Amino acid sequence: MDTNTYARISLDTLVRNYKAIKTLAAPKEVISVIKANAYGHGAVECAEALQKAGARIFAVSSIDEALELREAGINASILVLGYIEPARAIEAVANELSVVIFERGFAGEMDRAASKLGKMAKLELKVDTGMNRLGFKSGGIEAIKEISELGNCSLEGVFSHFASADDKAASSNDEQYRLFDSFITQVKSLGINPGYVHIDNSAGLINFSHSCVNAVRCGILLYGLPPSPGIELSVPVKPALGFYSKIAHIFNVKKGEGISYSHSYIASSDMKVATISAGYADGYVRAYSNKAEVFIKGQRAKSVGNICMDMFMADITGLKDIQVGDEVELFGPNISAWELSAHSGSIAYEVLCLISKRVRRVYE
């Protein structure tokens, strides 16, 4: 593992963010979304800190992500948001995972697995109200009826997902909520308890106040970032992660010389350059080349030349007191993940998730 490039993560900040979100969401339950290795923060470490702080439900993407938490001793409820192969239904039941039902056949698989184990399978039904990804588009009420009649299954919740919650003015938000609210009303009219009812993600929690829900799913906000750069946060959260590397070499480049692969940068004057020990294999992607800035000893320096697999270069001409071994902030308190994402036409979510496995996580 490379010790020169690392992510510094404050679990105290994560917990403070969780508590602030809980206060804003009250009395709704907060579902902490820790899929994709907790957005690069480390799923097990984050789950342990959040469970200790009172978190009762975690959401992950896959059964393997869920089993990693169970093996680490996380005993809170875990909701698996993605597809599970039918052959793994037995593992889901054995480990008391809540699984998402978006087609009828898998509910039967879970019921049979539960019968074999002498346990109850935990199911949450997903309704597609306009995201067009996963969920029942029609026939959801019939599926709810079938689930309620399965002898070895427990309905833990019903939920949907906004497509454009970060855009408060998007007309699709009202339509999606109208469809979801209508669905929940029908479920209740059948005398079925829908359990946890949720449609709001981080952006939905900030932008809306929905009466039919009793839970919210928070991911990006939990880690201290707004769901989009234009959203004004109504909750006092701070980024829990900073991404850092170190200067490996300092050298001079003469006017007219090229830097890095393909000489995508040609020096327009004599300059001083630092080689930094991070590259696209760490998650600092090639699309940042000649665009992104880094932060060194209170000063900004711009990337020059194509970013390499393990290194990249930055212009430190005119910067003061820069030395080999100095820490370099790739993003963090001074350069936001949203700023960095703009250089690749991406989003802050992806910037966080791109931090690779080989990057050491340092917990504070």
Side-chain angles (χ1 to χ4, degrees), residues 193-243:
N193 179 1
Y196 288 114
V197 175
H198 46 108
I199 188 172
D200 290 324
N201 50 11
S202 292
L205 172 62
I206 294 168
N207 282 335
F208 310 116
S209 178
H210 291 131
S211 59
C212 88
V213 304
N214 57 18
V216 296
R217 300 184 307 274
C218 278
I220 197 73
L221 198 60
L222 185 64
Y223 306 108
L225 293 172
S228 69
I231 288 185
E232 186 175 332
L233 293 181
S234 55
V235 55
V237 297
K238 292 182 179 179
L241 181 150
F243 192 23

Side-chain angles (χ1 to χ4, degrees), residues 134-273:
L134 287 180
F136 286 97
K137 277 182 169 294
S138 60
I141 292 298
E142 288 76 11
I144 284 276
K145 288 179 184 175
E146 290 176 12
I147 289 171
S148 68
E149 293 168 359
L150 292 172
N152 304 289
C153 293
S154 169
L155 180 64
E156 300 288 301
V158 180
F159 72 104
S160 190
H161 189 71
F162 280 120
S164 304
D166 54 339
D167 180 1
K168 191 174 183 178
S171 59
S172 62
N173 293 320
D174 288 341
E175 177 61 11
Q176 283 195 255
Y177 180 68
R178 185 191 68 75
L179 290 170
F180 187 61
D181 187 34
S182 173
F183 185 84
I184 297 302
T185 298
Q186 291 179 68
V187 171
K188 290 179 178 178
S189 72
L190 296 173
I192 298 171
N193 179 1
Y196 288 114
V197 175
H198 46 108
I199 188 172
D200 290 324
N201 50 11
S202 292
L205 172 62
I206 294 168
N207 282 335
F208 310 116
S209 178
H210 291 131
S211 59
C212 88
V213 304
N214 57 18
V216 296
R217 300 184 307 274
C218 278
I220 197 73
L221 198 60
L222 185 64
Y223 306 108
L225 293 172
S228 69
I231 288 185
E232 186 175 332
L233 293 181
S234 55
V235 55
V237 297
K238 292 182 179 179
L241 181 150
F243 192 23
Y244 302 92
S245 191
K246 291 181 180 177
I247 294 177
H249 182 48
I250 294 174
F251 59 99
N252 295 312
V253 171
K254 292 181 180 179
K255 179 180 178 179
E257 290 186 336
I259 297 175
S260 194
Y261 290 115
S262 304
H263 284 178
S264 66
Y265 184 91
I266 305 295
S268 59
S269 60
D270 291 352
M271 60 193 296
K272 183 178 280 189
V273 174

Side-chain angles (χ1 to χ4, degrees), residues 273-336:
V273 174
T275 300
I276 298 165
S277 298
Y280 57 76
D282 302 294
Y284 200 75
V285 298
R286 191 177 165 93
Y288 303 153
S289 301
N290 299 307
K291 300 173 187 174
E293 294 183 342
V294 297
F295 199 75
I296 314 168
K297 288 187 172 176
Q299 304 161 92
R300 282 186 173 236
K302 189 174 181 179
S303 160
V304 287
N306 282 332
I307 289 166
C308 312
M309 184 180 290
D310 312 304
M311 290 172 276
F312 72 97
M313 280 61 77
D315 179 7
I316 58 169
T317 307
L319 272 58
K320 296 179 181 179
D321 193 31
I322 305 299
Q323 302 171 33
V324 169
D326 282 347
E327 182 177 81
V328 179
E329 179 188 316
L330 307 179
F331 70 82
N334 301 291
I335 294 175
S336 76

